[in-house]
Amino acid sequence: MKGGVSVKEVLEEVIEFLRREKVDYADVRYERHLKEEIANENGFLKTYTFNEDQGVGIRVLKNGGWGFSSTDRLSKENILKTAKLALDIAKTSSMRRGEGRVAEEPPYVDTYKTRYEKDPFEISKKEKVELLREAVAKMKEIKGIVKASGSLQFRKIQKLFLNTDGSTIEQEIVISGGGIEAFSAGEEGFQKRSYPSSFGGDFATRGWEFIEEMDFVGKAEETAQEAVSLLSAPEIEPGEYDIIIGGSQLALQIHESCGHPSELDRVFGSEISFAGGSFLTPDKLGKLKYGSEIVNIVADATVEGGLGSFGYDDEGVKAQRSFIVKEGIFVGYLMDRESAAKLGLRSNGAGRASSWNRIPIVRMTNINLLPGNMTLEDLISGIDYGFLLETNKSWSIDDMRVNFQFATEIAYEIKGGRLTGRIFKNPVYYGTTVEFWNSCDGIANEKYWRVWGIPNCGKGQPIQVMHVGHGASPARFRKVKVGVAK
Amino acid sequence: MRGENFYRGLLRILNEKFAGLEFLANAWEKTSGLTRFSKSRIHQNVHEEKINLTILVTKDNKIAVGTTNNLSADSLERLRESLEEILKNTEELGYKFELPSPRMDYPYERVAESVRKATPEDRAKIFDEIVKVAKGTDVYGYIETSLDELCVMSSNGLCLYTCISSSSFNTVVICEDGSGYASGSSWDLKELDWEEKVKKAVETAKKSRKPVDIDPGKYTVVLSPEAVSEIVQYFAYFVANGYYHETKTSPSVKFLGKKIGPDDLNVIDDPNYPGQIPLVFDMCGMKRESFPIIENGVFKNLMYAYGTALKFSKKPTPHTITLDNLDVPYPFNLVIKPGRASLEDLLKNVDKGLWISRFHYVNLVDPMNAIFTGMTRDGTFLIEKGEITRPVKNMRFNIGFFNMVENITGISKEHTSVATEYAPIIAPYIKVEDFNFTSKSDH
């Protein structure tokens, strides 16, 4: 910063200014985001981008009204001007029946850094490009593959947070992720297989070692072969079946039908005009039989490597683990400091902002379905006729998070308690949230459990795209509707 | 607002800092304010100023793209180093890359004073009025004002500047278990048509109380402009997309050039259409004018982003949305043109059908057959013997786009702007036979 003043010193000055203005509460965040993205298509580099983004966001609560202002013009003068604007906006809000308040939180002075073995930004560009080229070229070699692609993404997010409670928190979050896809096409249309998951692959708060472990080159051939086989595969006859949902698809099921409805700001109507509301009204807390007794769901920002893991949320609340569903009963919400205060509770650390120019709102951290005690073979052996569904292709759920429909890339047939080796294309399953989770009668154990990263969860206006995680292992559901009349 | 001269100066700096490399750059500054309300209270109220410089550099038929919002000399030098390192470590593209041809044009400015000078108080006053109009109900929504400056520049002489103002709103009105929805956009805050629309949403909310359960199945539907815009936007992005067409992952391979709907079905991308908020060139500097996608019922044209066009030896269309991925086209100013029918015409002769106010969470289920799914929300009504009679609970649809347009039996004269995350979509009401609902919800 010009004049030898550090960003931290300016932010401290902002907090002092806002204290003098006798605000109810204020916080200020400086963030710097580095992002590197590489994509390969058919063995050729498609794009290699490098992004740098930084700025300051200031949030003020005054007489119950909220104001937020952000800027990327980082002179001391402009940051102070931004603080004044945030204060003015808060005053405007307070005159419109502003009733905002924040739940109590102790001050923290701390630092947090993602633990990783290999800094992805220290890995040579050549190595990244070569890895993708080799994996994609291997898929493209398979007869019947019309398009093969792969991508990698790395992010380094540096945050400095101060608030009027007295917190000063510095964090560095590192994210690595990627995936590969193979497309086959013929007269019947086209089919796609993705590894390890669709829509960009899997992501974690880890380093380059996460990419190495996924072994894209080793999995390329199998991924492409399956895409080709799908092309001539039949579709499932619509009906009710017992199904097993694989981990990566179950992650999205958890995301849409457990994570979003448990966001307390949705319950209070903050998102009604955009993302919608929630059926999980406070009268259901501690009472609703959300799922069967084996269903245990936690919000856990402390799980190592989870894409939704951090040291502190963007309101200065320490990362924590809390139950959303315990032994099938709905027992807790995802909360930020404002929504928690409305229920007379403390935040459980889910106030997150996608960047410096956005306010923290209630977001998922890692919403995890805890592992059960069965093996995958146990789950399969309990099905007379049904399917194992894997890898998301499409998703949709209603505005209150009740009626959902998912499509997956592939279904594996199960007959007489065994996988038959037959595969089916274009599977679609649908249902309603509570009925569905109550039909769960088996969850695979920790050996099959993994935290899947979803880097593109959208919420809020202006839109905020957040990275969240979902721990899951394959699970079995009885009498689920599969296939949709066209 | 920094003004055209600032960007001309930035081009001079880029020419200096990136000397020896060819480049194409987009500088986009957004200054916006958004006031959000919930349960008739302002609960979020934000302001943002941010510039983004995206620069694509090319050398030896390689490309690298960088983005920064730090325009200091040090930062630009660091960016150049990063991009040169990318170029050094990557291989040639699989196609011949060249920068877009240079083009000069007058700067285009369309800035309403009401937006340029908009304060949080101005937005709050509209909120106050919405609360008054919707008295006795709860309102949820937002009001946004935004000033966007964009300059497309290149080392070979491209320098195009535009500055546009925009305002938009949406409101969900809730009355007991009923709800209604309104949205709109305008370049001028004074022309934002919230009042009549919110009144209608209040009416819808009141009428949609105590919805009844009906069975899913095929119904004749009258889709509101909100619902029409949602489906057509997905069609345009996924199906009228040159990249998916060339990679044979789109039903356009079957339907392009064919008659797919009635004569009065016309879908265009047109920055100059009344009510639009114009983007007059794309991110490669191509001039944007009226571009027919569906013309007189014929699936006429695909959008080709710049990279796709080079790769597949096609002519690019002015739809490149980002330099990060030159295969992504987008119709910034989508318009579904009005037809000839009145709303009464659309309703009459419907023995049993549904009036759809809005869709929620539309997504593509089967790309090759353009099958979309989604839910109804904020006011779904039964039409019986030509009259809107009772509210019904929300249902899920699964519909093939080409089946849908084949079954269009009426397009209204009445049309309006619908707010989206980007520019508005202008759409009429459309009547469709045999619209396929496959399951239902509980509300």
Side-chain angles (χ1 to χ4, degrees):
Chain A
M1 191 167 272
K2 280 178 192 169
V5 186
S6 71
V7 172
K8 192 173 177 183
E9 285 169 319
V10 177
L11 300 195
E12 283 168 348
E13 206 169 310
V14 167
I15 289 295
E16 278 315 306
F17 161 70
L18 292 168
R19 277 193 182 123
R20 285 197 301 275
E21 291 291 328
K22 300 196 179 342
V23 299
D24 308 344
Y25 170 82
D27 55 38
V28 51
R29 273 177 297 127
Y30 163 78
E31 293 191 16
R32 180 168 179 255
H33 292 232
L34 298 180
K35 188 164 84 171
E36 194 177 46
E37 281 182 289
I38 309 135
N40 184 298
E41 191 171 287
N42 293 333
F44 293 102
L45 186 74
K46 183 181 168 96
T47 186
Y48 199 131
T49 65
F50 176 79
N51 305 312
E52 183 183 359
D53 185 57
Q54 63 175 345
V56 166
I58 301 164
R59 190 173 67 139
V60 174
L61 180 64
K62 170 91 178 169
N63 298 333
W66 282 108
F68 175 80
S69 185
S70 64
T71 183
D72 58 2
R73 299 185 193 184
L74 299 181
S75 66
K76 179 180 169 182
E77 186 191 19
N78 198 54
I79 292 173
L80 289 170
K81 195 176 120 195
T82 303
K84 283 178 191 144
L85 180 56
L87 179 62
D88 286 346
I89 296 173
K91 287 175 183 169
T92 303
S93 302
S94 73
M95 288 185 279
R96 270 77 187 184
R97 300 196 289 154
E99 55 174 22
R101 61 196 174 98
V102 291
E104 292 292 311
E105 200 58 39
Y108 295 97
V109 178
D110 202 359
T111 58
Y112 171 88
K113 273 190 171 190
T114 297
R115 289 218 303 216
Y116 54 81
E117 291 167 28
K118 297 177 184 176
D119 184 341
F121 288 88
E122 296 296 321
I123 301 298
S124 80
K125 291 179 168 51
K126 200 176 185 73
E127 188 173 349
K128 293 167 187 164
V129 168
E130 268 306 300
L131 171 73
L132 274 186
R133 194 200 55 73
E134 197 182 337
V136 171
K138 236 177 163 176
M139 291 191 290
K140 192 70 176 47
E141 278 170 13
I142 304 296
K143 197 178 165 200
I145 293 298
V146 295
K147 187 175 101 176
S149 60
S151 60
L152 296 172
Q153 191 190 104
F154 306 100
R155 297 175 72 179
K156 189 176 275 184
I157 304 166
Q158 292 157 326
K159 301 183 183 199
L160 170 61
F161 171 92
L162 285 83
N163 69 6
T164 48
D165 295 335
S167 286
T168 301
I169 299 163
E170 289 182 64
Q171 299 193 79
E172 183 184 275
I173 314 281
V174 169
I175 292 171
S176 301
I180 54 173
E181 291 180 332
F183 294 75
S184 61
E187 282 182 9
E188 310 89 340
F190 81 91
Q191 290 294 323
K192 181 182 85 161
R193 278 300 277 143
S194 311
Y195 170 82
S197 186
S198 48
F199 301 103
D202 195 14
F203 295 78
T205 52
R206 296 185 61 197
W208 176 252
E209 67 280 1
F210 179 65
I211 303 296
E212 290 177 321
E213 286 166 18
M214 285 193 279
D215 187 18
F216 294 141
V217 176
K219 297 287 183 182
E221 189 179 333
E222 183 188 335
T223 303
Q225 292 285 13
E226 224 166 42
V228 174
S229 303
L230 267 178
L231 205 57
S232 54
E235 291 189 344
I236 297 171
E237 187 66 29
E240 279 189 358
Y241 298 96
D242 295 340
I243 60 171
I244 295 167
I245 299 181
S248 73
Q249 169 57 31
L250 197 55
L252 200 65
Q253 177 79 50
I254 294 165
H255 181 91
E256 299 292 2
S257 70
C258 306
H260 278 307
S262 64
E263 292 163 347
L264 190 53
D265 60 339
R266 290 180 70 113
V267 175
F268 290 136
S270 284
E271 290 291 326
I272 276 185
S273 67
F274 182 58
S278 170
F279 71 96
L280 287 175
T281 46
D283 55 300
K284 296 187 172 78
L285 193 62
K287 294 176 191 155
L288 175 72
K289 191 167 176 295
Y290 187 94
S292 61
E293 281 176 12
I294 59 169
V295 174
N296 289 287
I297 298 170
V298 295
D300 186 357
T302 68
V303 60
E304 196 162 324
L307 190 59
S309 295
F310 46 77
Y312 294 83
D313 75 359
D314 294 312
E315 296 190 301
V317 180
K318 205 170 174 56
Q320 52 198 269
R321 181 181 191 262
S322 63
F323 273 90
I324 304 289
V325 176
K326 196 169 191 179
E327 293 172 357
I329 303 296
F330 165 56
V331 294
Y333 287 107
L334 283 163
M335 296 176 286
D336 61 0
R337 293 179 67 174
E338 184 177 23
S339 59
K342 286 182 183 171
L343 289 186
L345 299 171
R346 288 267 304 274
S347 163
N348 56 354
R352 305 178 68 195
S354 62
S355 193
W356 55 268
N357 57 344
R358 296 290 182 265
I359 53 169
I361 55 176
V362 178
R363 302 307 300 245
M364 290 176 232
T365 54
N366 302 295
I367 309 303
N368 304 332
L369 174 67
L370 297 183
N373 55 10
M374 298 172 93
T375 64
L376 182 60
E377 291 70 31
D378 292 338
L379 293 177
I380 292 170
S381 68
I383 291 181
D384 187 35
Y385 189 80
F387 299 92
L388 165 60
L389 276 58
E390 190 58 276
T391 317
N392 183 263
K393 191 167 156 186
S394 167
W395 64 96
S396 175
I397 189 163
D398 75 32
D399 58 328
M400 300 304 276
R401 302 275 149 180
V402 175
N403 175 305
F404 64 80
Q405 178 179 302
F406 291 95
T408 64
E409 288 185 354
I410 193 165
Y412 302 91
E413 186 184 51
I414 300 167
K415 208 184 235 179
R418 289 179 174 212
L419 287 168
T420 64
R422 271 186 96 195
I423 59 171
F424 289 75
K425 67 183 175 188
N426 304 334
V428 172
Y429 71 95
Y430 62 104
T432 53
T433 297
V434 171
E435 188 184 5
F436 176 79
W437 284 103
N438 274 284
S439 77
C440 178
D441 78 339
I443 302 173
N445 63 36
E446 58 278 355
K447 184 183 146 200
Y448 303 88
W449 196 84
R450 156 178 183 170
V451 183
W452 295 88
I454 293 181
N456 56 351
C457 173
K459 185 180 172 185
Q461 284 175 306
I463 190 78
Q464 298 199 39
V465 178
M466 183 52 75
H467 44 95
V468 304
H470 299 293
S473 50
R476 189 171 64 204
F477 299 84
R478 299 292 185 183
K479 290 189 177 174
V480 176
K481 294 185 182 75
V482 179
V484 174
K486 289 178 183 164
Chain B
M1 195 172 151
R2 298 185 196 233
E4 188 194 1
N5 283 341
F6 169 83
Y7 294 93
R8 291 200 174 277
L10 180 60
L11 175 58
R12 280 194 292 278
I13 293 168
L14 294 180
N15 273 323
E16 185 193 312
K17 298 289 177 195
F18 290 84
L21 294 169
E22 287 188 280
F23 68 81
L24 171 65
N26 297 164
W28 190 320
E29 184 167 68
K30 188 173 191 68
T31 309
S32 66
L34 189 145
T35 299
R36 224 173 168 203
F37 45 98
S38 168
K39 214 160 189 187
S40 305
R41 289 182 168 88
I42 291 177
H43 69 305
Q44 293 169 8
N45 209 346
V46 302
H47 178 269
E48 175 186 7
E49 59 179 16
K50 185 187 181 192
I51 192 164
N52 245 342
L53 171 71
T54 304
I55 182 160
L56 178 154
V57 296
T58 179
K59 195 176 183 182
D60 302 331
N61 207 40
K62 299 174 179 182
I63 60 170
V65 181
T67 301
T68 185
N69 67 341
N70 180 349
L71 303 184
S72 67
D74 286 357
S75 163
L76 293 176
E77 279 158 21
R78 277 202 313 274
L79 185 61
R80 177 184 173 127
E81 278 169 27
S82 296
L83 295 179
E84 282 190 314
E85 205 195 331
I86 292 172
L87 291 175
K88 199 170 77 189
N89 287 288
T90 54
E91 72 265 40
E92 285 190 42
L93 294 167
Y95 59 95
K96 175 85 184 102
F97 185 82
E98 54 192 33
L99 291 181
S101 305
R103 189 171 77 80
M104 298 298 284
D105 208 341
Y106 292 110
Y108 180 89
E109 289 192 26
R110 195 176 189 225
V111 177
E113 281 298 284
S114 62
V115 174
R116 196 175 66 80
K117 292 183 176 167
T119 63
E121 187 60 27
D122 292 335
R123 291 189 299 276
K125 279 180 181 160
I126 294 178
F127 158 76
D128 293 339
E129 293 298 317
I130 287 175
V131 171
K132 263 190 221 163
V133 166
K135 200 177 168 191
T137 67
D138 284 323
V139 292
Y140 305 75
Y142 81 91
I143 301 144
E144 182 177 29
T145 51
S146 182
L147 209 55
D148 290 86
E149 273 184 305
L150 169 68
C151 189
V152 175
M153 305 165 267
S154 74
S155 55
N156 63 345
L158 192 62
C159 188
L160 298 165
Y161 169 83
T162 183
C163 183
I164 49 177
S165 62
S166 61
S167 63
S168 63
F169 84 100
N170 82 1
T171 303
V172 168
V173 178
I174 293 193
C175 184
E176 297 163 23
D177 60 349
S179 61
Y181 180 75
S183 83
S185 292
S186 171
W187 74 289
D188 187 342
L189 189 59
K190 284 183 187 159
E191 291 177 12
L192 194 62
D193 55 349
W194 59 269
E195 191 168 354
E196 283 311 306
K197 286 180 168 177
V198 171
K199 279 181 187 165
K200 271 192 189 174
V202 171
E203 216 175 286
T204 303
K206 288 180 177 169
K207 279 186 190 161
S208 63
R209 286 174 292 181
K210 298 189 173 52
V212 297
D213 218 352
I214 61 165
D215 288 332
K218 288 187 175 172
Y219 289 87
T220 299
V221 292
V222 176
L223 304 176
S224 72
E226 300 284 350
V228 169
S229 66
E230 186 105 356
I231 296 273
V232 175
Q233 186 181 23
Y234 271 81
F235 157 77
Y237 182 73
F238 285 107
V239 186
N241 181 319
Y243 174 75
Y244 294 136
H245 182 79
E246 298 299 332
T247 54
K248 298 186 172 38
T249 52
S250 163
S252 59
V253 293
K254 258 193 285 183
F255 292 98
L256 184 66
K258 305 247 171 78
K259 183 94 160 80
I260 59 168
D263 289 346
D264 56 350
L265 179 64
N266 288 284
V267 176
I268 59 173
D269 174 32
D270 186 356
N272 301 310
Y273 199 87
Q276 268 298 353
I277 295 172
L279 188 70
V280 293
F281 48 81
D282 75 355
M283 299 305 138
C284 286
M286 280 195 75
K287 187 169 186 170
R288 289 176 37 73
E289 290 171 319
S290 184
F291 179 89
I293 298 171
I294 300 175
E295 189 173 70
N296 302 329
V298 175
F299 187 2
K300 189 85 175 171
N301 285 307
L302 300 172
M303 301 176 292
Y304 279 88
Y306 189 72
T308 308
L310 288 180
K311 220 176 281 179
F312 297 100
S313 304
K314 298 283 177 183
K315 199 175 162 212
T317 63
H319 297 101
T320 304
I321 191 174
T322 171
L323 302 184
D324 285 348
N325 184 344
L326 291 172
D327 286 326
V328 182
Y330 190 77
F332 301 93
N333 299 115
L334 197 60
V335 176
I336 301 101
K337 282 189 172 178
R340 292 180 290 270
S342 65
L343 283 183
E344 291 71 32
D345 292 338
L346 296 186
L347 285 170
K348 79 179 175 198
N349 303 327
V350 178
D351 194 42
K352 191 177 181 188
L354 292 170
W355 176 278
I356 310 293
S357 296
R358 190 185 177 195
F359 287 138
H360 178 80
Y361 223 141
V362 173
N363 210 337
L364 187 59
V365 181
D366 177 353
M368 206 56 195
N369 293 300
I371 293 174
F372 296 106
T373 190
M375 293 293 302
T376 62
R377 67 176 287 192
D378 298 328
T380 307
F381 297 92
L382 206 55
I383 306 168
E384 291 170 303
K385 298 192 186 335
E387 303 261 320
I388 293 173
T389 54
R390 289 173 291 167
V392 298
K393 289 185 180 172
N394 291 309
M395 289 197 291
R396 171 173 299 287
F397 69 88
N398 278 268
I399 189 93
F401 180 80
F402 293 99
N403 289 338
M404 185 189 97
V405 288
E406 196 182 6
N407 288 330
I408 290 175
T409 51
I411 299 175
S412 73
K413 284 183 279 201
E414 189 178 319
H415 63 305
T416 188
S417 81
V418 170
T420 74
E421 203 184 319
Y422 306 106
I425 296 176
I426 315 272
Y429 294 82
I430 289 184
K431 180 178 169 183
V432 183
E433 310 293 332
D434 289 337
F435 201 89
N436 191 25
F437 293 95
T438 53
S439 63
K440 56 187 175 181
S441 195
D442 63 354
H443 60 285

